[in-house]
Amino acid sequence: MVGMVTQFLDQHQTRGHRKPAPRTLDTYRKCLTRYLQWLEGREPSAEAHQEFILSLLDEYSPAYVKMLDQTVRAWHTYLGLAAPPIAIGSDPVKIDFLTEGQVEQLIQACATPLERAAIIVLFESAVRASELLGIRWDDIDWEAGFVRVTRKGGKQTDAPLFPRSLAALQTLRESALPRNYVFPVMDYNGLYHLVRQVGIRAGVPCHPHALRHARAAQMRRRGMSLDRIQEL
């Protein structure tokens, strides 16, 4: 598969009258290398493309994700694969939101305190994956029901912790070795794999960003304004 990426970039470099700059080709190469690493040996597909792009929304700006999306789309076209129904940026993003019932199925399918805490906090607090992984035990205000998280750009703010989240975190703390971070054994790929495996057991395809979207949809149904939701 790496060889096919090289062939694609070589063809892209020689096609047309205007050759892309070396820096542009290097960006394409890094993007596709990251995509292959994320696939972990799976075959590229429209579904994998969509999951990969949605996972990046937790880490990068829409403009940067759009560029990565276009790169993967071009490579999929080269491979003769269909493009997924998703567009990043000013275009509408087509995402099937998880229902509240499906979220409950995910929670019930959790087999360990780590899985349960990750799923519940991702949903109830609507935190991004990077924010969840950055939480330290000292960031949690157990009495007030808040956790200090670091948003994009380094801004810190408080996210709510509801009773079920607090209970799941308490169980995790009692079952884990003493560490500074709540989820110290995972990077984003590990968290993605955890959520995906819980989804397989529950029969509900899922990734971390889908839980944040599900919470936003739930809050909108309960009357919260779009402006307030976008502040989360």
Side-chain angles (χ1 to χ4, degrees):
M1 195 63 69
V2 174
M4 298 188 73
V5 169
T6 301
Q7 293 173 16
F8 163 73
L9 293 173
D10 289 343
Q11 184 186 82
H12 193 80
Q13 187 173 14
T14 57
R15 184 179 56 192
H17 299 289
R18 185 178 180 181
K19 294 183 179 180
R23 183 176 178 179
T24 301
L25 284 174
D26 187 55
T27 299
Y28 291 166
R29 183 176 290 103
K30 288 179 180 178
C31 170
L32 295 176
T33 298
R34 175 166 182 161
Y35 179 47
L36 291 180
Q37 291 173 341
W38 181 88
L39 285 171
E40 295 182 332
R42 293 177 293 159
E43 290 296 318
S45 65
E47 292 75 18
H49 176 184
Q50 176 165 309
E51 291 180 10
F52 172 66
I53 294 302
L54 289 175
S55 74
L56 297 174
L57 290 170
D58 281 334
E59 302 181 57
Y60 302 107
S61 69
Y64 184 66
V65 174
K66 185 174 183 179
M67 184 275 292
L68 297 179
D69 176 47
Q70 291 170 342
T71 302
V72 176
R73 281 175 182 273
W75 190 53
H76 274 216
T77 299
Y78 173 77
L79 296 176
L81 299 174
I86 179 171
I88 307 296
S90 59
D91 300 324
V93 179
K94 299 177 182 178
I95 302 173
D96 292 328
F97 290 107
L98 297 173
T99 65
E100 293 182 42
Q102 288 174 321
V103 173
E104 289 302 317
Q105 287 177 247
L106 290 167
I107 294 171
Q108 294 304 315
C110 291
T112 67
L114 180 69
E115 290 179 347
R116 185 173 177 84
I119 294 291
I120 292 176
V121 176
L122 279 170
F123 173 67
E124 290 194 342
S125 299
V127 293
R128 297 175 176 86
S130 59
E131 295 164 358
L132 180 86
L133 296 175
I135 296 174
R136 299 170 182 263
W137 289 112
D138 289 345
D139 294 328
I140 299 173
D141 187 327
W142 297 92
E143 293 187 4
F146 286 97
V147 59
R148 174 71 60 171
V149 297
T150 303
R151 302 289 193 190
K152 291 181 179 180
K155 178 183 177 181
Q156 291 193 324
T157 187
D158 289 335
L161 287 175
F162 297 95
R164 186 160 60 168
S165 291
L166 289 167
L169 288 168
Q170 181 63 39
T171 300
L172 176 62
R173 185 168 65 168
E174 292 172 354
S175 65
L177 294 174
R179 298 178 186 269
N180 291 331
Y181 286 93
V182 177
F183 301 96
V185 296
M186 289 188 293
D187 56 9
Y188 180 80
N189 286 337
L191 178 61
Y192 179 90
H193 181 74
L194 180 151
V195 174
R196 188 169 181 270
Q197 290 302 308
V198 172
I200 290 172
R201 291 200 298 270
V204 180
C206 189
H207 51 82
H209 201 69
L211 290 161
R212 176 173 162 83
H213 276 285
R215 183 60 164 169
Q218 181 192 68
M219 289 187 289
R220 183 64 180 138
R221 286 194 299 269
R222 294 181 177 181
M224 184 176 288
S225 70
L226 289 175
D227 288 342
R228 178 68 185 91
I229 292 173
Q230 289 173 346
E231 292 175 0
L232 297 175

